């Protein structure tokens, strides 16, 4: 999501930093900033080229740090754009990652007189380091001491206003590397900014920090032990080819899904309590414990994520949940405010007009409104009484991929929090969390097999119609899979609850009408099997998505995609990955560019607006 570039050496730093920033623009971002010692920070809410426009011509600096940001804590604004600093502007930082205990640390520092100027979790790092720097006057020691207090993840680069050519970097859960050239050091969170300058790279491991000057670099462990590490030679041709191998934003988004699942859950699960916690819900616990009826409003993929949320909330929290299309909520009779009712708007972009209108109607009727949105500072995030962010990072393809997966995960965590306050045991809560934590690796396993899904997409290329079916949790997977297939590959795809096929849709099926059956080995597997047997009689090919090890699937399916075993309510997360890939490859093989929809059908959000 965010990316860091730094330079210290003897050449003008600005062109190198700007070039580095341009090389990571593909990640998507909403703001960009640069710190040059002796001349200060320059920031732009918008693109790198906007930053170039405001940089004075006469700047001379042979060191600096720079950052692109996608807002997670705090809206995109100049105050929240990195580099961030401390009260006395002695320390400047750029940070990737998330500081989980920032609230506690902020309170402690405010009591000591520190003045905070941004809404970010990252700013805490500048203040903590400044506090330590005053005491020890050694830059790398100050960084190490400060980081001892931090719970969270970071790729971090720090400059000190009185040490114009020194950069201290640190890594925990987010990569940081040093590219080495004679008397020049390029610092970056990815390899792309280095590729033009050097192939000699040293990567920090988790729990390490380093001090870098034009004279050299020293790496330390967090136990302050000096480490010797030889640079590795990266294969520039291979790295460049790798970047080219992922030609579309949709594929980039899909490949980021494991990380998305990690980020959406980060700082929100408390294993020892067997529960989840959302900053935005903390002050509303009384209201949530008295919740009698939840109405989820969504459009497209967000509506389908809502269907999964409904089942989870009904299964674990045992409250009635209704899921309504935004475009239909607005057609219903204006509801009277009822105690214990909340309307939850689901929207990746936070800008979908039907959801905005629905929430406005609910507010007018005096009903409490909550939001689950991905884009910080979006219209919906501002209009609701409270809510949660997906923390999925920028959705770069115009289709909801990261948004959908993270919506399901956040709804699962919200379910857990509500279930715990209504009596779910700590032990059962902890089991729930343990399974959530395994999801990113399970998604990685599916992604590794993507070539097989590409082959299947090739095999099914000759078909013009598809039926997707599922039961219970995976009815939504069928709908979402069909939506993606239509939207990405422009083929006709129908979706039905599997048990409904016999009530009409079966009439359209024949040997040139394949069915994709989403049927993990769960409580509805046997019923699904009967549905599929019936469909088989129509002669069309069956592609089953089922749980690893379920060899039974070969007895009725022509092709099988396996997904790892998981709790029933999480299976839509895993089942959706092959469906996204199948839609992606089906579109790509038909010659459609996933980045340029033939007929744009989403609200284009501000980040996508500027996506060339
Ligand atoms: C499908 C898709 C759309 C959106 C819908 C709602 O892949 O991208 O169907 O899900 O337009 O958008 P948000 O979630 O931004 O409100």
């Amino acid at each position: 999501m965010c990316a860091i570039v730094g330079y210290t050496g003897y050449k003008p730093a600005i062109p190198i930093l700007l070039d580095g920033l341009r090389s990571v623009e593909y990640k998507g971002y909403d703001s960009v900033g640069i710190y040059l010692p002796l001349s200060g920070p320059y920031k732009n809410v918008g693109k790198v080229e906007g930053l170039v426009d405001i940089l004075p011509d006469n700047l001379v600096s042979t060191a600096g740090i720079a950052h692109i940001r996608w807002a997670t804590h705090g809206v995109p604004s100049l105050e929240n754009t990195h580099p961030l600093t401390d009260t006395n502007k002695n320390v400047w930082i750029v940070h990737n990652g998330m500081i989980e205990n920032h609230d506690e640390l902020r309170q402690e520092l405010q009591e000591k007189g520190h003045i905070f100027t941004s809404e970010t979790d990252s700013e805490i790092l500048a203040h903590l380091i400044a506090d330590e720097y005053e005491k020890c006057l050694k830059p790398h020691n100050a960084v190490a001491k400060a980081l001892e207090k931090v719970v969270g993840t970071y790729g971090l680069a720090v400059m000190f206003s009185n040490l114009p050519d020194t950069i201290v970097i640190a890594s925990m859960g987010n990569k940081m590397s040093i590219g080495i050239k004679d008397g020049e050091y390029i610092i970056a969170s990815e390899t792309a900014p280095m590729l033009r300058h050097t192939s000699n790279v040293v990567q920090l491991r988790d729990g390490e920090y380093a001090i870098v000057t034009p004279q050299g670099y020293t790496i330390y462990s967090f136990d302050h032990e000096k480490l010797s590490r030889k640079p590795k030679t990266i294969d520039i041709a291979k790295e460049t080819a790798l970047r080219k191998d992922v030609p579309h934003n949709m594929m980039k988004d899909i490949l980021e899904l494991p990380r998305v699942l990690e980020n959406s859950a980060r700082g929100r699960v408390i294993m020892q309590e067997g529960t989840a916690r959302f900053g935005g819900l903390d002050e509303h616990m009384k209201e949530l414990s008295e919740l009698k009826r939840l109405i989820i409003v969504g459009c497209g993929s967000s509506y389908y994520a809502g269907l999964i949320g409904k089942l989870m909330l009904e299964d674990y929290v045992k409250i009635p949940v209704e899921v309504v299309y935004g475009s239909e909520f607005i057609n219903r009779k204006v509801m009277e405010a009822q105690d214990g009712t909340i309307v939850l708007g689901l929207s990746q972009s936070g800008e979908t007009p039907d959801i905005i209108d629905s929430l406005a109607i609910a507010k007018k009727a005096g009903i409490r409104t909550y939001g689950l949105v991905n884009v910080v500072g979006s219209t919906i995030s501002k209009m609701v009484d409270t809510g949660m962010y997906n923390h999925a990072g920028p959705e770069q393809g115009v289709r909801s991929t990261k948004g959908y997966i993270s919506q399901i995960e956040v709804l699962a965590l919200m379910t857990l929090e509500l279930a715990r306050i209504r009596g779910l045991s700590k032990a059962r809560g902890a089991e729930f969390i343990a399974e959530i934590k395994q999801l990113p690796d399970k998604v990685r396993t599916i992604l590794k097999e993507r070539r097989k899904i590409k082959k299947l997409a090739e095999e099914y290329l000759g078909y013009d119609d598809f039926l997707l079916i599922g039961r219970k949790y995976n009815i939504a997977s069928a709908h979402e899979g069909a939506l993606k297939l239509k939207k990405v590959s422009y083929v006709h795809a129908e979706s039905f609850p599997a048990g409904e096929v016999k009530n009409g849709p079966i009439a359209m099926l024949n040997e040139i009408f394949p069915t994709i059956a989403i049927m993990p080995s769960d409580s509805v597997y046997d019923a699904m099997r009967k549905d599929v047997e019936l469909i088989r009689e129509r002669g069309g090919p069956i592609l089953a998505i089922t749980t690893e090890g379920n060899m039974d699937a070969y007895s009725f399916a022509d092709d099988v995609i396996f997904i790892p075993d998981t709790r029933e309510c999480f299976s839509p997360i895993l089942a959706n990955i092959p469906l996204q890939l199948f839609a992606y490859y089906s579109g790509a093989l038909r010659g459609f560019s996933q980045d340029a929809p033939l007929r744009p059908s989403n609200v284009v959000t501000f980040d996508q607006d500027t996506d060339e």
Side-chain angles (χ1 to χ4, degrees):
M1 288 183 243
C2 305
I4 293 173
V5 188
Y7 175 82
T8 182
Y10 58 86
K11 288 190 190 145
I14 296 173
I16 295 170
L17 293 173
L18 291 175
D19 230 42
L21 290 175
R22 287 186 190 108
S23 73
V24 287
E25 277 189 294
Y26 70 90
K27 295 184 73 145
Y29 62 105
D30 51 50
S31 39
V32 53
I34 193 165
Y35 171 74
L36 302 162
L38 311 177
S39 40
Y42 298 91
K43 302 181 182 188
N44 180 44
V45 178
K47 294 288 168 190
V48 174
E49 293 321 309
L51 176 70
V52 174
D53 291 343
I54 58 163
L55 283 175
D57 292 334
N58 54 355
L59 287 180
V60 188
S61 183
T62 53
I65 48 178
H67 188 256
I68 56 170
R69 169 176 192 253
W70 162 264
T72 53
H73 293 74
V75 295
S77 68
L78 286 182
E79 293 73 32
N80 293 337
T81 300
H82 300 210
L84 298 163
T85 191
D86 65 298
T87 317
N88 297 320
K89 299 190 169 33
N90 290 331
V91 171
W92 293 85
I93 65 111
V94 287
H95 168 231
N96 292 352
M98 216 179 271
I99 307 303
E100 292 172 22
N101 59 340
H102 68 103
D103 278 338
E104 294 108 270
L105 293 171
R106 185 187 301 247
Q107 210 171 333
E108 278 170 32
L109 287 164
Q110 276 170 335
E111 279 160 20
K112 284 188 180 176
H114 285 253
I115 299 163
F116 285 77
T117 52
S118 81
E119 302 161 293
T120 63
D121 56 332
S122 307
E123 187 186 344
I124 199 77
L125 296 169
H127 291 266
L128 275 178
I129 296 167
D131 207 44
E132 292 299 333
Y133 191 47
E134 269 176 26
K135 292 182 223 156
C136 72
L137 289 176
K138 284 222 170 126
H140 55 296
N141 290 350
V143 172
K145 275 257 163 233
L147 291 177
E148 279 173 15
K149 302 189 176 135
V150 165
V151 180
T153 56
Y154 41 83
L156 176 68
V158 189
M159 290 198 84
F160 298 80
S161 51
N162 64 340
L163 298 170
D165 62 5
T166 300
I167 303 177
V168 179
I169 61 173
S171 171
M172 179 66 79
N174 281 73
K175 285 186 190 146
M176 283 302 289
S177 305
I178 312 167
I180 301 154
K181 224 179 154 185
D182 267 351
E184 289 183 88
Y185 297 89
I186 297 111
I187 278 147
S189 52
E190 359 263 304
T191 42
M194 326 228 175
L195 294 179
R196 220 175 275 184
H197 306 278
T198 179
S199 56
N200 269 350
V201 174
V202 169
Q203 193 179 324
L204 293 199
R205 298 188 184 132
D206 275 355
E208 293 180 351
Y209 62 98
I211 179 160
V212 190
T213 69
Q215 286 73 48
Y217 66 90
T218 313
I219 303 179
Y220 298 88
S221 69
F222 273 8
D223 313 329
H224 313 294
E225 200 186 308
K226 265 192 202 177
L227 304 169
S228 74
R229 181 159 318 140
K230 286 204 183 119
K232 274 197 184 149
T233 309
I234 52 167
D235 183 339
I236 295 186
K238 193 171 150 202
E239 289 280 329
T240 315
L242 267 179
R243 239 160 287 283
K244 288 201 180 120
D245 194 35
V246 183
H248 297 123
N249 284 333
M250 182 179 174
M251 191 56 166
K252 285 180 208 153
D253 286 338
I254 295 174
L255 293 177
E256 279 177 32
L257 290 172
R259 197 77 174 154
V260 167
L261 285 162
E262 284 161 3
N263 287 338
S264 296
R266 198 179 306 288
R268 291 169 161 180
V269 290
I270 313 167
M271 192 47 141
Q272 58 280 23
E273 294 297 322
T275 193
R277 213 190 112 188
F278 291 90
L281 303 187
D282 271 359
E283 285 171 18
H284 304 270
M285 276 303 136
K286 184 168 179 298
E287 178 170 80
L288 285 167
S289 63
E290 289 163 4
L291 181 65
K292 292 199 187 76
R293 177 180 174 221
L294 183 71
I295 304 170
I296 298 179
V297 190
C299 295
S301 304
S302 297
Y303 173 85
Y304 301 137
L307 293 180
I308 297 163
K310 168 190 164 74
L311 289 173
M312 291 195 280
L313 285 155
E314 288 179 351
D315 271 357
Y316 290 90
V317 188
K318 303 186 185 1
I319 47 162
V321 181
E322 217 183 313
V323 191
V324 187
Y325 286 112
S327 52
E328 283 306 314
F329 187 92
I330 53 182
N331 295 334
R332 291 167 65 158
K333 273 205 156 47
V334 178
M335 289 176 297
E336 290 301 315
Q338 278 168 6
D339 282 350
T341 298
I342 290 173
V343 172
L344 170 65
L346 251 56
S347 174
Q348 187 284 126
S349 60
E351 301 292 349
T352 298
D354 284 335
I355 308 298
I356 295 174
D357 292 348
S358 304
L359 290 166
I361 290 169
K363 278 176 98 73
K364 202 163 162 219
I367 301 171
R368 299 281 294 162
T369 56
Y370 285 35
L372 168 54
V373 300
N374 190 35
V375 179
V376 176
S378 54
T379 305
I380 293 173
S381 75
K382 288 189 197 142
M383 73 186 288
V384 289
D385 294 314
T386 190
M388 302 156 289
Y389 285 116
N390 297 38
H391 289 169
E395 189 88 78
Q396 299 210 78
V398 192
R399 288 89 183 171
S400 182
T401 47
K402 289 149 77 170
Y404 177 71
I405 290 289
S406 58
Q407 279 167 340
I408 304 172
E409 186 180 41
V410 173
L411 287 169
L413 293 173
M414 179 185 160
T415 300
L416 174 62
E417 184 169 18
L418 298 193
R420 285 282 290 123
I421 56 178
R422 284 166 190 246
L424 183 85
S425 73
K426 200 196 279 190
R428 283 199 62 205
E431 283 165 23
F432 195 91
I433 294 174
E435 293 198 49
I436 288 190
K437 288 193 164 221
Q438 290 172 13
L439 291 171
D441 277 340
K442 291 182 177 176
V443 171
R444 281 186 186 100
T445 314
I446 304 171
L447 290 175
K448 273 194 200 134
E449 298 290 311
R450 62 183 185 277
R451 305 259 170 255
K452 281 192 193 153
I453 295 166
K454 186 175 180 191
K455 276 197 145 211
L456 282 172
E458 276 164 8
E459 231 178 80
Y460 282 74
L461 204 55
Y463 296 100
D464 294 330
D465 309 284
F466 286 83
L467 171 68
L468 284 91
I469 54 166
R471 273 182 182 251
K472 202 178 173 186
Y473 280 103
N474 285 303
I475 293 175
S477 302
H479 291 321
E480 169 58 15
L483 179 70
K484 279 288 179 298
L485 211 46
K486 288 188 270 237
K487 219 174 161 181
V488 177
S489 61
Y490 305 93
V491 293
H492 168 227
E494 301 263 354
S495 51
F496 284 94
E500 278 304 300
V501 174
K502 60 182 173 297
N503 295 324
I506 194 152
M508 68 182 169
L509 298 179
N510 56 30
E511 59 287 350
I512 53 164
F513 205 134
T515 295
I516 301 181
I518 302 133
M519 47 190 304
S521 313
D522 58 15
S523 65
V524 292
Y525 179 78
D526 290 342
M528 275 295 296
R529 213 179 172 293
K530 287 188 190 129
D531 302 326
V532 173
E533 288 295 352
L534 206 66
I535 291 170
R536 243 179 96 73
E537 289 170 15
R538 313 297 297 187
I542 309 278
L543 167 56
I545 299 180
T546 189
T547 307
E548 230 158 41
N550 174 26
M551 293 307 155
D552 174 50
Y554 286 111
S555 65
F556 55 82
D558 300 270
D559 295 289
V560 181
I561 299 174
F562 288 112
I563 55 171
D565 189 21
T566 188
R567 184 176 286 242
E568 185 163 299
C569 66
F570 303 145
S571 68
I573 292 184
L574 300 185
N576 181 248
I577 312 299
L579 289 170
Q580 286 191 12
L581 288 166
F582 189 80
Y584 168 80
Y585 288 123
S586 300
L589 291 164
R590 283 174 169 82
F592 297 120
S593 159
Q594 273 66 24
D595 295 339
L598 291 179
R599 296 169 288 276
S601 45
N602 273 54
V603 167
V604 176
T605 59
F606 71 89
D607 53 314
Q608 292 150 351
D609 207 13
T610 43
D611 197 9
E612 303 294 330

